[in-house]
Amino acid sequence: MSTARGGSIRRLLLIWLLTPLALVCVLVLVHAYFDARRIADRAYDRMLLASALTIAERVVVADDGELEVDLPYVALEMLGTSAQDRVFYRVSGPDGALVTGYRDLPPPQGTAAGGERYYDARYRGEWVRVALLERPLPGGGRFRVEVAQTRGERDRLIRELVLAAGLRVLLVVVLAALCVVFGIGQGLRPLARLERTIRARSPEELTPIDDPVPREVRHLVAAINQLLGRLEASLTAMRRFIADASHQLRTPLAGLQTQTELALAETDPAALRQALMRLHAVTRRTSRLANQLLSLARAAPEGGLHPQPLDLAALARERTRERVPAALARGLDLGYEGADSLPLHGDPLLLGELLANLIDNALRYCPAGSTITVRAARVGEQALLEVEDDGPGIPEAERERVLERFYRIPGGPAEGCGLGLAIVKAVAERHDAALELGAGQGGRGLRVRCRFPQAASGGEEAERDA
Amino acid sequence: MRVLLVEDDSDLADGLVRALRQCGYAVDHMSDGRRADSVLRTEECYDLVILDLTLPGLDGLEVLRRLRGRGRGVPVLVLTARGELQDRVTGLDLGADDYLTKPFALSELQARVRALVRRSQGRSSAVIEYADLRFDTVARRVTVRGAVVELPRRELCLLEILLARCGQVVSKEQIAERLFGFDDEAGPNAIELYVHRLRKRLGAVGLHIRTVRGLGYLLEEP
């Protein structure tokens, strides 16, 4: 009997508590009815029998062998206590022949086997209770005495008994319902209190809820507290990011301002051109920084992840292909090696950012003549993506730190903004991928490797399609 | 060559107008989506529309949707600071021909504009020009500095594929798709063979097909 999503605990509890209670009450009333009937029948049947016995005592066998009855009216009078109830009787011989009484009384149901029996029957449009008495005759055979009485008095007694029981049951139900309603209200009060506590909080107040709560909602509160904790952490991260970002943007903007002012004060065309070129460089750096900040925000856990089945090898080739003209312009050999197809479940936009940053880094830091290779391969259950170059590399001591935001290797080229590898790290983390920085082949250059757990199955199919 | 620039940031618009005029384009500038929409409704003389997405009056995507809804095929280059995948997909779905995320380098914009204009003209004119080479796609004839270069059918077709994407890497799959019919033997070896042959012929006229490791081929001036 679960109510559709949501619903009301109060209603659920009421339904579950009061429905069984009502069923029990119905059972009790049915039982009370049969009980009352049994009691009434037992009391009145005895009187019916007494009357039949009195009649039977007066049955005599006449000289001609016929049965005769000297009907004692007292026998019937003792039954006629109630004005409404009517009494009928019949005395019949061994062959069923009527001796005296009402001929049209319904025939006896079965036999009393020499004793007594009671049963209900329809007579003249009414229910009557019949006592059947059989007695042996001295000359063999048996005679029968039937005494019937309408049920008026009995039914009145039954009604009274049932009514009394019904009133008691009703009282119990009403009391129980009141208790249940009150009890539920009491039981739900801690929830209302919890609601008030949460409502009263300011949006910045993300500390755990530590009010005492009943055991049953402790898990709920724990879950809410966990969510609050995560919110707090991501809010803190976001605040730090915004602070970092504005600080980082302020520096090149200050540079821009200075360069502009210098350029404005310049009159020599050659020097002016120099200043403008510096201006241009700073602007480009600022643009790149803004782009990188956006990428990082997208890759951060607060940004949405839109994973879908994709081909990592195709993505790697596409991203590499796009950068080939830039690589050629710098005199670098940029290429791809590895699988034709490598299915993976991931976010194509973020993985594209990861690749673009790794390739850009290589393009940026490798001297002309260097070789840069992008690889995608399946190794066992894992999907492997790596970018390797034979450029200057990153000293081992720096490999951890370069993954931090805004960190730049001391003495490195000034052009980078220190976000590329931080973006790579964030994207890898979003995909549960392990990130390894190491030296390239022959100990030269840099190799950045991402191991994605659980390459999507179906690689053979994709390979066939390629 | 007439270009309509729809961009509400006056500094950026001013820079773009000047840069495009320097390239020899006639540039009209609108800073409001609604006005741009009504101009595009009446004027049919533009060869290119450069459209910002965040516009006052009427959103850029809506301007684009209405333009394409009227069945106009003028090339549209979309500019945006949004750069999200969804916007990009929507823009391209609505019929944008290219997409540029702010901030961008002026040279990048100029290259894209040139490519779009060339592509839209390529639809009308049948001649592709690259360096000293002229490829007449109707007559199937290649000339270098006026001298005819004889090329067999497959090599001619390969050259056309590379020319259509000159300056970009063309993958073997892309070549195979266009070079071979369903019945042809289309192995990577066959492509290498044709590239080898074409390279020899082009080498004589000073063009080079570069093999890019694992990625494909690129047509370049030496």
Side-chain angles (χ1 to χ4, degrees):
Chain A
M1 208 184 291
S2 73
T3 45
R5 275 178 295 145
S8 144
I9 294 181
R10 186 185 299 274
R11 183 161 10 130
L12 206 64
L13 281 175
L14 281 176
I15 288 171
W16 274 103
L17 290 173
L18 292 183
T19 311
L21 187 63
L23 283 176
V24 166
C25 288
V26 169
L27 285 178
V28 165
L29 280 177
V30 168
H31 184 254
Y33 169 74
F34 285 105
D35 228 27
R37 217 184 144 99
R38 213 180 60 242
I39 290 167
D41 278 346
R42 195 185 294 157
Y44 285 94
D45 283 355
R46 232 174 260 142
M47 282 160 68
L48 265 184
L49 181 66
S51 167
L53 281 171
T54 313
I55 293 171
E57 273 168 19
R58 298 298 183 86
V59 175
V60 292
V61 185
D63 300 337
D64 54 358
E66 292 291 308
L67 287 177
E68 279 179 5
V69 187
D70 172 18
L71 197 67
Y73 283 96
V74 61
L76 299 180
E77 266 165 19
M78 61 194 282
L79 293 173
T81 47
S82 155
Q84 290 88 5
D85 280 342
R86 279 163 299 151
V87 178
F88 314 98
Y89 64 95
R90 180 165 67 191
V91 180
S92 41
D95 47 1
L98 177 75
V99 178
T100 181
Y102 296 79
R103 182 185 299 276
D104 57 349
L105 263 183
Q109 296 167 9
T111 100
E116 314 97 44
R117 263 198 68 194
Y118 310 96
Y119 55 87
D120 290 308
R122 286 299 280 184
Y123 181 57
R124 291 186 183 173
E126 274 184 275
W127 280 104
V128 290
R129 182 74 172 173
V130 185
L132 169 65
L133 186 70
E134 284 181 353
R135 283 289 180 265
L137 282 170
R142 279 186 295 217
F143 71 92
R144 264 202 303 263
V145 178
E146 288 152 88
V147 180
Q149 187 185 24
T150 52
R151 297 194 53 101
E153 190 67 23
R154 291 165 192 252
D155 288 347
R156 200 159 26 253
L157 180 60
I158 291 170
R159 268 199 303 278
E160 270 168 29
L161 288 173
V162 170
L163 196 65
L167 282 174
R168 280 194 299 275
V169 166
L170 191 67
L171 190 66
V172 169
V173 167
V174 168
L175 281 177
L178 283 176
C179 287
V180 164
V181 169
F182 180 72
I184 292 174
Q186 285 296 104
L188 293 180
R189 258 169 73 171
L191 288 184
R193 209 163 47 225
L194 193 62
E195 182 195 319
R196 276 197 302 277
T197 313
I198 295 177
R199 261 185 208 287
R201 284 177 167 234
S202 71
E204 289 82 27
E205 199 180 344
L206 295 173
T207 49
I209 302 164
D210 52 3
D211 299 17
V213 290
R215 201 176 331 132
E216 287 79 1
V217 287
R218 229 168 266 167
H219 286 300
L220 175 67
V221 170
I224 293 175
N225 280 342
Q226 218 177 2
L227 177 67
L228 286 175
R230 286 205 302 271
L231 266 177
E232 168 101 79
S234 76
L235 255 185
T236 311
M238 201 125 42
R239 286 205 190 100
R240 204 183 64 221
F241 179 74
I242 292 171
D244 278 359
S246 47
H247 174 77
Q248 291 294 327
L249 275 171
R250 206 173 277 161
T251 314
L253 285 177
L256 267 181
Q257 199 166 347
T258 317
Q259 296 290 350
T260 322
E261 279 164 23
L262 285 174
L264 284 174
E266 202 62 69
T267 46
D268 174 31
L272 185 61
R273 190 172 166 74
Q274 282 280 314
L276 280 176
M277 276 168 72
R278 280 196 298 275
L279 249 178
H280 183 229
V282 181
T283 315
R284 265 181 38 199
R285 243 175 54 213
T286 318
S287 298
R288 187 175 144 76
L289 178 61
N291 276 335
Q292 295 285 75
L293 283 172
L294 260 178
S295 299
L296 190 59
R298 260 203 299 265
E302 298 84 40
L305 188 70
H306 306 286
Q308 50 188 272
L310 56 89
D311 183 348
L312 188 60
L315 185 70
R317 279 199 302 273
E318 191 189 313
R319 281 315 178 108
T320 312
R321 206 173 286 144
E322 283 169 10
R323 304 300 288 148
V324 165
L328 291 176
R330 287 181 170 83
L332 299 165
D333 175 11
L334 173 63
Y336 172 84
E337 280 175 13
D340 283 341
S341 160
L342 185 56
L344 185 81
H345 203 76
D347 186 319
L349 195 66
L350 290 186
L351 290 172
E353 292 282 354
L354 179 147
L355 273 160
N357 275 290
L358 287 180
I359 297 170
D360 267 9
N361 267 357
L363 295 187
R364 195 176 295 271
Y365 295 111
C366 289
S370 302
T371 303
I372 304 158
T373 304
V374 178
R375 284 191 197 91
R378 174 199 286 268
V379 177
E381 286 293 294
Q382 294 178 326
L384 202 83
L385 179 69
E386 61 179 38
V387 177
E388 180 181 335
D389 64 58
D390 55 2
I394 295 178
E396 206 163 339
E398 299 281 355
R399 282 180 197 157
E400 272 298 314
R401 297 210 59 191
V402 289
L403 298 177
E404 289 170 19
R405 290 171 179 178
F406 304 116
Y407 181 77
R408 269 175 284 179
I409 299 173
E415 213 189 307
C417 56
L419 280 178
L421 285 173
I423 294 170
V424 169
K425 181 177 172 231
V427 175
E429 276 170 3
R430 294 302 301 276
H431 287 82
D432 295 320
L435 188 66
E436 296 163 20
L437 266 65
Q441 271 164 15
R444 295 177 55 211
L446 176 70
R447 187 183 62 198
V448 183
R449 176 179 280 176
C450 279
R451 290 177 185 275
F452 297 87
Q454 205 68 51
S457 56
E460 291 76 9
E461 248 173 74
E463 244 163 49
R464 213 171 40 235
D465 289 344
Chain B
M1 201 56 47
R2 220 169 143 187
V3 176
L4 175 65
L5 171 69
V6 192
E7 165 62 64
D8 62 319
D9 183 282
S10 55
D11 288 335
L12 179 57
D14 177 63
L16 292 182
V17 167
R18 279 205 258 169
L20 289 167
R21 283 190 180 142
Q22 271 176 14
C23 294
Y25 302 112
V27 187
D28 293 335
H29 170 229
M30 305 269 145
S31 55
D32 175 272
R34 208 165 289 284
R35 278 187 55 210
D37 183 55
S38 61
V39 165
L40 284 168
R41 200 180 291 274
T42 49
E43 293 285 327
E44 301 215 340
C45 55
Y46 292 109
D47 300 289
L48 176 71
V49 178
I50 301 176
L51 183 63
D52 183 26
L53 283 193
T54 27
L55 288 172
L58 195 62
D59 187 65
L61 283 177
E62 181 60 24
V63 174
L64 177 58
R65 207 181 57 75
R66 293 188 183 183
L67 178 70
R68 292 304 187 226
R70 291 192 290 272
R72 296 291 314 284
V74 52
V76 174
L77 171 61
V78 163
L79 302 181
T80 180
R82 298 180 193 165
E84 296 291 339
L85 182 66
Q86 195 45 52
D87 278 350
R88 220 176 301 182
V89 170
T90 314
L92 294 176
D93 277 353
L94 284 176
D97 296 84
D98 205 351
Y99 214 98
L100 210 50
T101 307
K102 295 178 196 170
F104 48 82
L106 206 48
S107 53
E108 172 93 15
L109 176 90
Q110 286 166 339
R112 303 275 184 116
V113 167
R114 269 199 307 275
L116 281 178
V117 167
R118 191 165 57 216
R119 221 193 293 169
S120 75
Q121 284 179 328
R123 284 199 280 260
S124 48
S125 95
V127 179
I128 310 172
E129 288 190 35
Y130 182 67
D132 291 335
L133 185 139
R134 271 177 66 92
F135 189 127
D136 186 330
T137 54
V138 175
R140 312 297 294 167
R141 211 166 62 120
V142 179
T143 53
V144 175
R145 289 182 291 272
V148 176
V149 180
E150 290 294 341
L151 285 174
R153 189 176 63 91
R154 280 275 160 74
E155 280 83 334
L156 202 65
C157 190
L158 177 60
L159 178 61
E160 191 179 7
I161 295 165
L162 293 173
L163 273 174
R165 285 171 184 68
C166 57
Q168 296 170 21
V169 181
V170 187
S171 72
K172 282 188 180 179
E173 293 83 38
Q174 286 171 321
I175 294 173
E177 270 172 31
R178 290 164 181 77
L179 195 57
F180 299 110
F182 289 115
D183 307 327
D184 292 312
E185 287 274 331
N189 292 337
I191 294 174
E192 276 167 30
L193 179 70
Y194 289 119
V195 168
H196 176 72
R197 288 188 194 158
L198 182 62
R199 185 178 278 152
K200 274 208 295 196
R201 305 244 183 178
L202 290 183
V205 296
L207 278 175
H208 178 59
I209 300 174
R210 181 187 284 273
T211 305
V212 184
R213 277 185 302 135
L215 295 174
Y217 301 98
L218 176 123
L219 185 69
E220 61 180 1
E221 290 177 81

